[in-house]
Amino acid sequence: MEISTMLKTLQDPMGIPFYPIVFQVLMVLTFALHIMFVNFTIGTTFLSLYGYLKGGEFWGRLSKSMVKATTANISMAMLLGVAPLLFVQVVYDPFWYASNALSGAWVIGFIFIMMAAYGLTYVFYLKKDSQRGKGFALTGITALGLFLLAGLIMHALNYQALQPDKWLGWYMKGNAVNTSGTSLQAFQLPRFLHFIIPSFAMTGIFLMLYAWYFQKREDMDQGYLDRVGVIGAKMAFLFTALQAVIGFWWLLSLPGEFNFISNPIFMSGAGLGLVLLALLYKAQNAPLKYAVPAVTGAFLTILGMSYAREALRMKYAGRFGYSIFDYKLNIDWGSTVLFLGTFVMGLIIIAYLLSIAYKSGRTAGLYDATPLMHKWGRASIVLLLMWIVIVAGLGIIISVRNYL
Ligand code: HEM
């Protein structure tokens, strides 16, 4: 069977429930958010370990703040990983499922790897100041190693998915089929590094933001914050420069027929990256002043690059005549409205949680919420209850109907 016919055959015969462009935009947006928090996770884990091993007042203090940040960053990375997971399964199902089946053991193992990494991060976080020793350093090192392994699995699954012409070769071992799923079949170093190295640039920006955020608190040591800001700006600049070099390495390793260097989406992403680099260069003299523009610029660059990654996937898939825009459309307004309603409601509730965290963290002592914040909090609870009733109600009605 031709590969293009095979891919079509593997698509969901029901078609997709809404226009593919909507899935694509949301997939790219949520992937950009996912990878940003992945970067924060890896970078803050590394920095907390570095500070712990180096010791001393400054590094000890920074290490404690960073490991606390890791616990929040990893939760966000996981939460924001689920969204692109759902979208990629909708529009690229033949690719994603085939790649997952080829490495099934790793896909299942991924869950346990994440659980172990998450647990070890907490052991490292909850240690007391008096508890210093190799054992605790080992928990941090193992957590970092497991985060990197999780990234490697995700990378292999994505890269395998792009090469349907090799699937059969990977599935066969000699004359027999290999259904064990215990191998990761594809790895591309520049692509992998392109997602991992920014961890150190993004954590530099994270440090700039940390210093900017706490400067308003009277109980914080300004000398400490200034030093954190300077280290952050340096890290951000150097690793963004390194990232640009790795980006070109990746670009040069792509199949020549893609002519990706002239792709307008790639050019926009790369252009944003260069603007960010210039901004970070200027930030060296005033890291706190540039903290917010730097994180805005970094997110826009990540978004641009995430769209470039999607444009690249379209090139790979296009080699086999596959385009998500040819997917059979079977518009389902009910599920679409429920989905978009859930999405908007989620944004309202998350914005409330973030506002509370932002305001309370900037207050020394007890935070007293304004009446508006109280109203927003109550509205969020009502929305959540309504959502549970609607979703559970629909589930029950549909299940009962199916059995009647
Ligand atoms: C610390 C843990 C994690 C790391 C380091 C990590 C890293 C990565 C990297 C590097 C990629 C891009 C790979 C490539 O394109 O070559 C990626 C993609 C992806 N990750 Fe994660 N990830 C982590 C956790 C998760 C979790 C928990 C989920 C799901 C709940 C998830 C879901 C995804 C999905 C679905 C994609 C592909 C999205 C797409 O194809 O557009 N990741 N991840």
Side-chain angles (χ1 to χ4, degrees):
M1 191 192 282
E2 281 254 333
I3 294 176
S4 56
T5 317
M6 172 190 77
L7 292 171
K8 282 255 171 238
T9 315
L10 286 171
Q11 282 184 326
D12 185 346
M14 285 282 283
I16 48 175
F18 208 60
Y19 300 101
I21 183 74
V22 175
F23 290 113
Q24 188 184 53
V25 169
L26 290 174
M27 179 172 65
V28 171
L29 176 69
T30 52
F31 173 75
L33 289 166
H34 168 62
I35 206 72
M36 185 165 85
F37 279 97
V38 161
N39 288 160
F40 284 150
T41 302
I42 293 176
T44 53
T45 312
F46 176 84
L47 216 57
S48 64
L49 249 173
Y50 178 81
Y52 181 75
L53 293 173
K54 203 164 158 85
E57 202 193 321
F58 174 81
W59 283 105
R61 185 171 176 186
L62 189 61
S63 167
K64 263 179 21 190
S65 300
M66 287 301 105
V67 69
K68 192 170 179 186
T70 306
T71 59
N73 288 333
I74 183 60
S75 307
M76 290 301 288
M78 284 183 187
L79 182 76
L80 290 162
V82 178
L85 182 64
L86 301 180
F87 294 125
V88 80
Q89 284 170 13
V90 174
V91 282
Y92 286 109
D93 47 343
F95 298 86
W96 184 253
Y97 287 125
S99 178
N100 274 237
L102 279 165
S103 304
W106 287 97
V107 177
I108 305 287
F110 181 79
I111 299 164
F112 296 100
I113 289 168
M114 288 309 305
M115 281 163 62
Y118 198 81
L120 287 171
T121 304
Y122 264 92
V123 176
F124 191 52
Y125 164 54
L126 291 172
K127 67 188 176 309
K128 305 220 168 54
D129 282 350
S130 54
Q131 292 176 314
R132 289 193 59 82
K134 284 196 185 121
F136 283 104
L138 207 64
T139 55
I141 293 170
T142 315
L144 180 62
L146 291 175
F147 285 143
L148 290 173
L149 179 60
L152 195 141
I153 297 172
M154 274 298 150
H155 161 72
L157 291 176
N158 274 278
Y159 194 43
Q160 284 170 192
L162 299 177
Q163 304 171 76
D165 46 334
K166 297 197 178 141
W167 292 347
L168 190 60
W170 290 333
Y171 190 54
M172 300 294 294
K173 213 174 203 169
N175 283 332
V177 290
N178 172 17
T179 54
S180 69
T182 50
S183 305
L184 288 175
Q185 309 280 4
F187 177 74
Q188 194 189 29
L189 188 61
R191 181 177 176 129
F192 178 65
L193 289 180
H194 194 71
F195 292 113
I196 300 301
I197 291 296
S199 302
F200 305 99
M202 289 309 290
T203 302
I205 293 177
F206 191 86
L207 291 183
M208 289 163 72
L209 269 179
Y210 170 92
W212 165 82
Y213 177 73
F214 284 117
Q215 66 174 334
K216 292 265 157 56
R217 284 242 314 242
E218 314 91 54
D219 58 336
M220 290 295 280
D221 173 353
Q222 294 302 317
Y224 164 76
L225 291 181
D226 284 343
R227 191 169 165 198
V228 170
V230 168
I231 294 177
K234 228 181 245 169
M235 271 178 77
F237 178 72
L238 288 177
F239 282 98
T240 304
L242 179 61
Q243 173 69 355
V245 176
I246 293 173
F248 279 104
W249 177 19
W250 183 14
L251 185 70
L252 293 175
S253 68
L254 294 177
E257 66 190 86
F258 290 173
N259 191 18
F260 205 59
I261 196 160
S262 62
N263 185 291
I265 302 179
F266 164 73
M267 287 202 286
S268 317
L272 283 166
L274 292 179
V275 173
L276 175 67
L277 195 61
L279 187 84
L280 290 172
Y281 180 71
K282 283 194 84 182
Q284 300 304 306
N285 294 326
L288 276 62
K289 189 176 142 205
Y290 281 92
V292 175
V295 75
T296 313
F299 181 67
L300 289 177
T301 306
I302 293 181
L303 193 59
M305 276 297 164
S306 300
Y307 233 112
R309 173 176 173 271
E310 173 57 15
L312 184 62
R313 175 158 46 197
M314 286 163 75
K315 290 265 181 207
Y316 274 105
R319 293 211 277 197
F320 308 100
Y322 187 96
S323 165
I324 61 169
F325 299 105
D326 299 335
Y327 217 120
K328 183 176 146 193
L329 204 55
N330 190 2
I331 299 257
D332 178 3
W333 281 105
S335 65
T336 302
V337 168
L338 187 67
F339 168 75
L340 290 177
T342 305
F343 190 67
V344 173
M345 184 202 74
L347 289 183
I348 296 173
I349 297 174
I350 287 173
Y352 167 73
L353 294 176
L354 288 179
S355 306
I356 284 282
Y358 178 86
K359 284 170 188 259
S360 59
R362 267 206 157 174
T363 315
L366 207 62
Y367 164 66
D368 201 6
T370 58
L372 183 71
M373 289 307 288
H374 280 301
K375 268 191 201 156
W376 192 356
R378 273 195 289 272
S380 299
I381 294 173
V382 171
L383 275 175
L384 207 55
L385 288 175
M386 275 169 54
W387 182 82
I388 292 172
V389 170
I390 292 173
V391 172
L394 274 174
I396 293 168
I397 293 170
I398 293 168
S399 307
V400 170
R401 267 202 194 160
N402 283 346
Y403 276 102
L404 288 179

